[in-house]
Amino acid sequence: MTNEIELRISQQTSFADGHAFGGTGAYEKLVGRAHFAVDPDAPAQAGIVDIDKAPRNEKGLVEFISDICILRPADPDRGNKRVFFDYGNRGNMRALQFFNDAPASNNPQSLADAGNGFLFRRGYTVVMGAWQGDLLPGNGRMLLDLPVAREQDGPITGPVRIEIVADSPGLTTFPLSGGRASTRSHPTISLDPREARLTRRRYATDERIEVPAEEWCFARLESGAGLDMQGAETSLVPSDSNIHIPGGFKTGWIYELVYTGRDPLVLGLGHVAVRDLVSFLKYGETDRAGNPNPTGGPDMIEKAYSWGRSQTGRCIRDSLYLGFNADAKGRKVFDGVMPHVSGAGRMWMNHRFANVITPAGQQYEDHDNRADKFPFSYAESTDHLTGKTDAILKRPDTDPLVIHSQTGTEYWQRRGSLVHTDSQGNDLEQPETVRAYFWSSSQHFANPNLKAPTRGVCQNDCNVVTTSMLFRATLDALDRWATDGIAPPPSRIPRRSDGTLVPWKEWKTQFPSIPGVAIPQDVNGLPLLDFGPDEDKGILSQEPPNVVDAAGYTVLVPAVDADGNDVAGIRVPMVSAPLATYTGWNLRARDYGEGAMHEFTGSTMPFPETPEHRRATGDPRPSIQERYQNLDGYVQAIRDAAMTLVEDGLILEEDVERAIDLARGWSAPRHSVSLD
């Protein structure tokens, strides 16, 4: 039996009001669902956890359905014959936001939704397809409908662990999906809290404090209008998918619930959904119902590329490692991939009772989440703790070209150094088919359309460095590489050998003593964890995991200059000509886990404006006036930095003027500078 696919297009409309994007012309938007049916016993599906326990149709195939959205040139002959696949993020479309500087939208339709039009001016067929199977409907998210795995005699049950951190006071109820309303929970088999274990702790490595069973329950609050002038009413409803603490969750504390859940989804099929969809769009002519390929298939498509950030960057890396860049016929699916801000992690979804929505483990939040597991690098290396030798890329016939990019945040919160070092922190040369770029002094989520910075529960303003220009140049470089064999610029990463990649203790001696600024008291290291004897089969029997080696793997951070900005990597104009110290880390504020690093948030620490300001505050960093004299000097410094990046092949010429436009007015509103 062969895998089957059918595309049912429910909507076909003009996109962006029929606007003509350069030589490509107008675009069309297609929306629908991809219906898949795969042979659970075929080698192409080997390794998908619990696929043997999924229901089968009359042909013996396992079925599942994915939302799809395709933005294609109205005249296919004017396109560039390339599919650009947006992995999205937690069901949300992201590519237009980051490549086109467009507003975030799960329903791009208007000309405004096209942003600066970059992907369309280049002629790409932009495809978005759901891969995450545990999402619930809402906010226009892309959904993947997956089968529930069952034993022949009844439901599958097993241990489930979730963490919840309440970042505002007065919260009493959360779903069992780790508190995320967008995500399906694994239902508990028992509503008796005595058959589960709830603990709380102040910091991730603190001892767990038991929350007595009589202080919480499996339930949810419902509210509505009351009768007889009694005002609003609430009811406490027993629920197998919610946890309730009548006294409220302590703000900022880490709550961990371990319980017995049921009905796991066959989540590993998310890799198959992407593989089979893109393979069909690239190689197929008609689907199983005889519908023509909406891209034109092999007559019109020559290359396929993918991009994913954070969660979906990990998904790309996991798919490569598991061999899903070869389709069911052994053909290469993606010619090039661009995982961004994934750090050293992979998408740990191909196991029973996975919670795919959960971020990869950080210093404070979701610390023990199983997202980082050897191998960390694309290059072959040996795990010094286990003796195992492995690599993410190990199938040269079907492995794609890889351009891996990451920010300062990934070195601090996502063990990013392990992407290009061995497990003991020694430099590890990458394959010729890989480029790794460090986007210096920027943060994990760099909103292209950020206005004034915010703090939230952090001590510092968020990082305001703009980096979207790097996405555009990187995609052009990837296309030249895959099409003409013209290699991109060499990797730009911090290295142990030249002193730009250092242990936290050395970094601590380099970072300036900025008035009123606290610094991290450690880097987010990675212990070796044990989840039980069936871990490699995708079944985790030990929750929470046992710590086998607390020292674990060596995690290093980028060295900094006298301003506190990262030395190595690609410095975008705002970092080459800075108005502040920009870091990939930020610390939680008082009452929210003070002192621990916060999720994926970076910092902006403004320079003093004048020499007088500098002397009054005791700031060791030169003032803005001393650096640039005036606004004209600052704009010229930005112009010079941008032109250098163009000469190095790291940004496009069209982005020089964008950088200069942002600099006029001292890069307001990202910065607030009052100098004339």
Side-chain angles (χ1 to χ4, degrees):
M1 290 184 287
T2 59
N3 290 2
E4 298 178 354
I5 185 172
E6 179 182 346
L7 303 189
R8 299 180 186 176
I9 303 301
S10 58
Q11 180 186 127
Q12 181 174 343
T13 59
S14 174
F15 173 68
D17 307 319
H19 178 80
F21 294 96
T24 311
Y27 265 71
E28 292 180 330
K29 177 181 177 181
L30 282 66
V31 175
R33 309 207 81 194
H35 293 248
F36 303 91
V38 301
D39 182 355
D41 302 317
Q45 281 69 249
I48 297 295
V49 172
D50 286 336
I51 192 172
D52 59 319
K53 296 176 173 57
R56 306 187 185 197
N57 65 16
E58 66 280 359
K59 295 181 180 179
L61 303 178
V62 173
E63 298 183 331
F64 49 102
I65 306 171
S66 168
D67 286 345
I68 59 172
C69 178
I70 299 174
L71 301 174
R72 68 180 186 184
D75 181 351
D77 289 326
R78 298 175 69 179
N80 69 356
K81 298 188 176 183
R82 277 134 182 77
V83 164
F84 181 84
F85 185 80
D86 175 10
Y87 260 90
N89 184 280
R90 294 172 174 81
N92 299 302
M93 303 176 185
R94 292 296 193 192
L96 300 188
Q97 180 182 12
F98 285 94
F99 284 82
N100 288 19
D101 293 349
S105 174
N106 286 336
N107 183 29
Q109 186 62 53
S110 69
L111 181 57
D113 293 328
N116 62 39
F118 170 76
L119 290 170
F120 308 123
R121 287 185 279 115
R122 287 296 191 267
Y124 284 98
T125 296
V126 180
V127 178
M128 292 149 282
W131 62 271
Q132 183 179 340
D134 59 356
L135 292 172
L136 298 174
N139 303 113
R141 284 183 290 272
M142 305 282 284
L143 303 179
L144 175 64
D145 299 340
L146 293 178
V148 172
R150 291 178 56 86
E151 300 287 6
Q152 289 186 349
D153 57 352
I156 292 175
T157 63
V160 178
R161 177 174 61 89
I162 65 165
E163 283 190 7
I164 294 171
V165 178
D167 272 347
S168 58
L171 298 176
T172 62
T173 307
F174 285 99
L176 299 183
S177 55
R180 295 169 176 88
S182 64
T183 310
R184 173 189 185 269
S185 299
H186 298 296
T188 178
I189 65 170
S190 171
L191 296 181
D192 187 345
R194 293 171 298 181
E195 296 184 16
R197 183 173 186 245
L198 179 66
T199 62
R200 62 180 175 86
R201 59 195 192 278
R202 173 72 282 183
Y203 296 96
T205 57
D206 286 354
E207 182 178 351
R208 290 165 168 83
I209 302 169
E210 192 100 16
V211 180
E214 58 270 19
E215 294 183 8
W216 67 277
C217 56
F218 288 107
R220 70 177 187 274
L221 278 178
E222 289 190 356
S223 60
L227 298 175
D228 299 326
M229 307 299 290
Q230 295 184 88
E233 296 178 336
T234 61
S235 298
L236 188 62
V237 181
S239 171
D240 61 6
S241 298
N242 295 86
I243 180 175
H244 175 75
I245 298 180
F249 287 78
K250 291 175 66 69
T251 307
W253 281 66
I254 301 170
Y255 285 80
E256 180 181 80
L257 175 66
V258 179
Y259 67 98
T260 302
R262 59 176 172 82
D263 297 337
L265 298 170
V266 187
L267 289 164
L269 285 170
H271 287 316
V272 178
V274 174
R275 179 196 70 189
D276 286 7
L277 173 62
V278 176
S279 173
F280 173 71
L281 296 177
K282 185 179 180 183
Y283 297 114
E285 295 182 352
T286 59
D287 65 13
R288 69 181 177 189
N291 301 311
N293 187 334
T295 68
D299 292 334
M300 297 304 302
I301 299 298
E302 297 175 351
K303 304 289 182 183
Y305 308 132
S306 70
W307 170 82
R309 61 166 306 280
S310 191
Q311 178 206 42
T312 48
R314 290 189 285 124
C315 191
I316 290 173
R317 285 164 54 88
D318 194 47
S319 177
L320 298 181
Y321 178 70
L322 295 174
F324 286 104
N325 204 50
D327 69 9
K329 295 182 178 180
R331 299 169 297 189
K332 183 183 293 188
V333 179
F334 291 112
D335 299 276
V337 299
M338 301 169 60
H340 180 61
V341 296
S342 64
R346 289 187 276 122
M347 178 46 61
W348 198 245
M349 71 175 178
N350 188 35
H351 71 256
R352 188 176 290 176
F353 293 111
N355 187 342
V356 185
I357 198 79
T358 303
Q362 303 139 70
Q363 184 189 59
Y364 191 82
E365 302 88 355
D366 301 300
H367 184 74
D368 295 331
N369 183 30
R370 195 54 160 146
D372 301 322
K373 181 182 179 182
F374 184 84
F376 311 107
S377 181
Y378 302 98
E380 184 178 280
S381 65
T382 299
D383 184 338
H384 75 284
L385 297 175
T386 66
K388 182 179 180 180
T389 297
D390 208 347
I392 290 178
L393 297 181
K394 51 188 176 181
R395 300 172 179 86
D397 290 340
T398 56
D399 284 337
L401 300 172
V402 177
I403 298 183
H404 178 108
S405 53
Q406 55 191 22
T407 71
T409 304
E410 286 68 63
Y411 286 89
W412 284 94
Q413 287 279 52
R414 295 292 308 112
R415 298 102 183 190
S417 62
L418 288 169
V419 170
H420 51 83
T421 71
D422 64 18
S423 60
Q424 294 179 290
N426 302 304
D427 293 333
L428 183 63
E429 290 303 315
Q430 298 303 296
E432 286 298 317
T433 55
V434 174
R435 291 291 185 273
Y437 297 126
F438 167 41
W439 296 6
S440 309
S441 291
S442 60
Q443 78 170 15
H444 185 83
F445 189 97
N447 183 355
N449 298 311
L450 178 71
K451 302 304 180 184
T454 58
R455 289 197 177 189
V457 300
C458 295
Q459 296 182 19
N460 308 311
D461 286 344
C462 69
N463 187 302
V464 300
V465 172
T466 178
T467 56
S468 63
M469 61 187 71
L470 299 179
F471 286 122
R472 294 184 278 275
T474 300
L475 180 56
D476 275 4
L478 179 64
D479 187 38
R480 287 192 298 270
W481 200 9
T483 303
D484 302 318
I486 300 174
S491 295
R492 288 203 180 188
I493 50 177
R495 298 181 185 274
R496 193 79 179 267
S497 58
D498 63 12
T500 57
L501 187 67
V502 298
W504 167 80
K505 288 184 178 180
E506 185 174 342
W507 173 90
K508 186 179 179 181
T509 67
Q510 299 172 346
F511 196 80
S513 180
I514 303 172
V517 172
I519 64 173
Q521 292 306 300
D522 202 351
V523 70
N524 190 17
L526 180 60
L528 178 62
L529 303 176
D530 173 27
F531 283 82
D534 294 324
E535 176 186 352
D536 288 336
K537 300 177 183 177
I539 301 172
L540 308 187
S541 56
Q542 178 63 43
E543 295 281 12
N546 290 321
V547 178
V548 177
D549 190 321
Y553 304 100
T554 300
V555 176
L556 305 172
V557 296
V560 295
D561 61 18
D563 289 329
N565 287 317
D566 299 325
V567 174
I570 302 174
R571 284 186 160 203
V572 294
M574 284 182 65
V575 177
S576 289
L579 295 175
T581 297
Y582 311 103
T583 72
W585 52 264
N586 206 330
L587 302 183
R588 284 177 163 267
R590 191 171 184 84
D591 299 327
Y592 295 97
E594 183 177 13
M597 290 186 287
H598 178 263
E599 291 185 343
F600 305 123
T601 309
S603 299
T604 297
M605 306 160 188
F607 292 152
E609 291 193 2
T610 64
E612 295 79 11
H613 184 191
R614 179 187 182 191
R615 287 194 297 271
T617 58
D619 199 315
R621 303 167 298 166
S623 69
I624 293 173
Q625 193 173 68
E626 290 171 295
R627 293 167 190 267
Y628 308 111
Q629 294 189 334
N630 53 37
L631 178 57
D632 288 343
Y634 173 64
V635 172
Q636 185 61 49
I638 290 290
R639 183 192 306 273
D640 293 343
M643 290 305 301
T644 297
L645 290 171
V646 170
E647 292 168 5
D648 292 344
L650 296 169
I651 72 170
L652 306 178
E653 286 191 25
E654 68 177 74
D655 280 308
V656 173
E657 197 57 40
R658 291 191 181 104
I660 293 171
D661 284 343
L662 180 62
R664 297 187 176 105
W666 297 105
S667 296
R670 292 173 184 251
H671 291 94
S672 177
V673 178
S674 58
L675 292 174
D676 292 335

